[in-house]
Amino acid sequence: MGFNDLLNASFKSKDTEEWLDVHFTRPIGLLIALLCKHLKIHPNYITIVSIFLGIAAGISFSFSDLSHNIFGVLLLMLANFCDSADGQLARIANQKTMIGRMLDGFAGDLWFLAIYVCLALRMTNQLIPGTSAHWGIGIWIIALISGFLCHSPQSSLADYYRQIHLFFLKGKEGSELDTYTSQWRIFKSLPKKGALLQQIFYFNYANYCKSQEHRTPAFQKLILALQNKYGNVARFPLHLKDSFLNSSRPLMKYTNILTFNFRALCLYVTCLLDCPWVYMLIEITVLNVIYVYMHKKHEALCKRLLSSMTDNQ
C-alpha cells in the first residue's frame, strides 16, 4: 500500500475532514507513523511523547517573550503531529491497545490543562489592558470558565456531532458513536480485581457519553425511534439518511471550528501578540455563540425528522 493510499485510508469522510488536517497534519503524522513503524516504536510511546510536548508547550506559553512563545507554537504543533501519528501507526501496525485508548483520550486534555494553568500564571501579575490593576485571581477565574465551562463542552459536543454524522454516512463501522448504556455495561462486567486501567477508562468514557447524551435530547428520541422501527443503521431508509446528512453537513464547519485547529490558531496568534486573555475571551464569547447555534440547529433537525416519521406512520 503506497503513501497516498494509506493517507486516503486515514480520512474518515470529506464532510468531516478539515483542510489543515488533510493537507498538513495528517500527511506529516503519517510520515512520523511510517518512520516509527520502521524503527519498531509502539504507538503508545508516541502518545506519551505528545503529552510531554503539549505540557512543554504550555510551560513555554507561561513566558511573555516572543522566543518562548514561538517555541511553544512549534511544540504544540509537534504534539498535534504526534497525536495524528499514534492513531495512524496503531491502524497500520495493528497495535491498538486499551492503554493506547486511555492515553489518546487524556492527551489533549493534559495539553490544555497545562496551557490554561500556564497562561493564568503568565498573566496574574500583568496589568489589565487600559487599567492600572493586575489580573490577579480574576485571570484564574476566567481561565476556569474558558477551559472547563466552555472549551470542554464545546469540543465534546462537536466531536459527538461528527460521530453522529459519520454514523448516518458510513454506519457503525465508520463511526465511533458510543452510548452511555453500552459503555456502562462494559464497566460493570469488568472483574473487581486486576482490571484497574479498564475500570478507569470505561467509567470515565461512560460518563463522557452520558454528558453528550444529556445535552442532545432530540437526537436521543430520534435515534431511539429509528432503532425501534428499523433496527440497525444499515436498515434505515435511504431518504431518511439523506435528509439527515443534507442538514447535518452544513453544521460540520462549526464542529471543525470548535475542535483543535481553529482554537490552536487563536492561541498561537494571541500568545505571539502577548494578549492571551483574548484567546480566553474568544472561547467564552465567539465559540460559545457557535456552540449554541450548532446545538440549536442540530436539535431542530432531529425534531423535524422525528416529526416526519410520526406523520408518515
Side-chain angles (χ1 to χ4, degrees):
M1 209 180 209
F3 182 86
N4 288 334
D5 294 326
L6 289 170
L7 182 61
N8 289 329
S10 72
F11 298 142
K12 294 181 178 178
S13 80
K14 291 182 179 179
D15 293 348
T16 57
E17 295 292 345
E18 299 180 59
W19 186 91
L20 272 175
D21 288 336
V22 171
H23 299 283
F24 190 54
T25 306
R26 209 66 73 80
I28 294 176
L30 181 56
L31 286 173
I32 295 172
L34 292 173
L35 176 61
C36 290
K37 183 175 184 291
H38 178 72
L39 296 174
K40 294 181 169 43
I41 297 173
H42 196 278
N44 291 352
Y45 292 124
I46 304 177
T47 310
I48 292 169
V49 169
S50 82
I51 291 172
F52 281 106
L53 288 170
I55 293 173
I59 294 171
S60 296
F61 290 138
S62 68
F63 299 91
S64 58
D65 61 282
L66 186 61
S67 58
H68 272 97
N69 282 271
I70 291 174
F71 191 51
V73 169
L74 295 175
L75 285 172
L76 191 55
M77 289 174 63
L78 187 54
N80 193 39
F81 294 147
C82 288
D83 184 57
S84 175
D86 61 9
Q88 295 187 74
L89 178 58
R91 286 189 293 273
I92 293 169
N94 193 26
Q95 292 179 312
K96 296 181 181 180
T97 64
M98 174 57 64
I99 294 176
R101 288 189 70 188
M102 288 182 62
L103 289 172
D104 194 53
F106 286 129
D109 294 338
L110 292 173
W111 301 351
F112 278 96
L113 176 61
I115 287 168
Y116 287 114
V117 169
C118 290
L119 289 181
L121 286 170
R122 168 180 177 163
M123 291 185 284
T124 298
N125 295 317
Q126 291 184 353
L127 295 177
I128 300 172
T131 75
S132 58
H134 293 91
W135 283 103
I137 191 65
I139 197 61
W140 290 90
I141 295 172
I142 293 172
L144 182 67
I145 294 170
S146 176
F148 289 96
L149 301 183
C150 296
H151 180 154
S152 182
Q154 288 165 5
S155 58
S156 70
L157 193 65
D159 179 64
Y160 193 52
Y161 285 157
R162 276 183 176 178
Q163 299 309 323
I164 291 171
H165 189 89
L166 290 168
F167 180 74
F168 277 83
L169 180 67
K170 305 180 75 172
K172 179 61 179 174
E173 295 74 19
S175 169
E176 296 175 1
L177 185 65
D178 290 312
T179 66
Y180 166 75
T181 301
S182 65
Q183 300 308 303
W184 188 254
R185 189 182 298 118
I186 295 172
F187 169 73
K188 296 297 287 184
S189 70
L190 294 170
K192 299 297 182 184
K193 295 183 179 180
L196 181 60
L197 290 177
Q198 291 94 326
Q199 289 174 352
I200 292 171
F201 174 80
Y202 282 107
F203 179 84
N204 284 286
Y205 188 50
N207 283 285
Y208 177 78
C209 294
K210 186 177 183 179
S211 73
Q212 293 173 321
E213 293 170 3
H214 180 73
R215 286 175 284 159
T216 55
F219 172 70
Q220 304 311 317
K221 291 178 182 177
L222 173 63
I223 195 65
L224 181 62
L226 286 169
Q227 289 172 339
N228 286 340
K229 186 172 183 178
Y230 302 107
N232 61 54
V233 65
R235 300 177 64 184
F236 292 179
L238 186 59
H239 73 275
L240 277 176
K241 288 183 182 179
D242 287 342
S243 181
F244 182 91
L245 291 169
N246 288 337
S247 295
S248 173
R249 194 168 288 114
L251 299 180
M252 291 302 101
K253 61 178 175 288
Y254 301 116
T255 68
N256 291 341
I257 291 172
L258 293 176
T259 47
F260 179 80
N261 288 330
F262 179 81
R263 204 180 298 272
L265 288 172
C266 291
L267 176 67
Y268 298 157
V269 172
T270 55
C271 284
L272 291 171
L273 295 176
D274 196 21
C275 54
W277 59 271
V278 173
Y279 164 72
M280 297 181 186
L281 187 62
I282 289 171
E283 286 196 316
I284 295 170
T285 56
V286 176
L287 297 190
N288 253 353
V289 169
I290 293 172
Y291 170 82
V292 170
Y293 176 79
M294 177 187 70
H295 178 259
K296 183 178 179 180
K297 294 290 287 185
H298 201 276
E299 286 288 279
L301 159 62
C302 296
K303 289 177 182 177
R304 186 169 66 251
L305 281 182
L306 183 60
S307 177
S308 69
M309 285 179 61
T310 305
D311 293 342
N312 292 331
Q313 286 180 349

